[in-house]
């Protein structure tokens, strides 16, 4: 049970960090969500947005953080 508690805390911290980065990115001039490769289709009565590059970048950063935490 002790390992499960640590895992839940780490997941919670990772979610909080990602949420803070997204919030900070929208407040500053970071192009998070507007990167080249993010798919955006806007028509008269239709909008579709799929942040492909942003998702890959966030995934890579989370993978790096988790890998570093496991090494520590």
């Amino acid at each position: 049970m002790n390992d499960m508690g640590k895992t839940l805390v780490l997941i919670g911290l990772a979610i909080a960090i990602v949420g803070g980065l997204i919030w900070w990115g929208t407040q500053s001039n970071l192009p998070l969500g507007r990167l080249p490769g993010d798919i955006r289709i806007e028509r008269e009565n239709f909008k579709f947005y799929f942040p492909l590059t942003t998702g890959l970048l966030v995934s890579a950063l989370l993978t790096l953080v988790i890998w570093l935490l496991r090494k520590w």
Side-chain angles (χ1 to χ4, degrees):
M1 283 305 260
N2 194 18
D3 289 336
M4 188 168 124
K6 287 180 184 179
T7 303
L8 287 173
V9 168
L10 288 175
I11 290 171
L13 286 173
I15 290 172
I17 289 169
V18 169
L21 287 173
I22 291 172
W23 176 73
W24 179 68
T26 58
Q27 299 296 321
S28 66
N29 289 331
L30 286 177
L32 203 60
R34 299 179 311 253
L35 295 173
D38 289 344
I39 300 169
R40 180 180 302 169
I41 301 171
E42 294 183 18
R43 304 285 165 98
E44 186 176 320
N45 293 324
F46 177 76
K47 290 185 181 180
F48 177 76
Y49 178 67
F50 186 71
L52 181 64
T53 306
T54 301
L56 290 172
L57 180 65
V58 169
S59 175
L61 289 174
L62 281 177
T63 300
L64 178 65
V65 167
I66 291 170
W67 180 76
L68 289 173
L69 287 174
R70 285 186 157 203
K71 289 286 187 180
W72 181 46

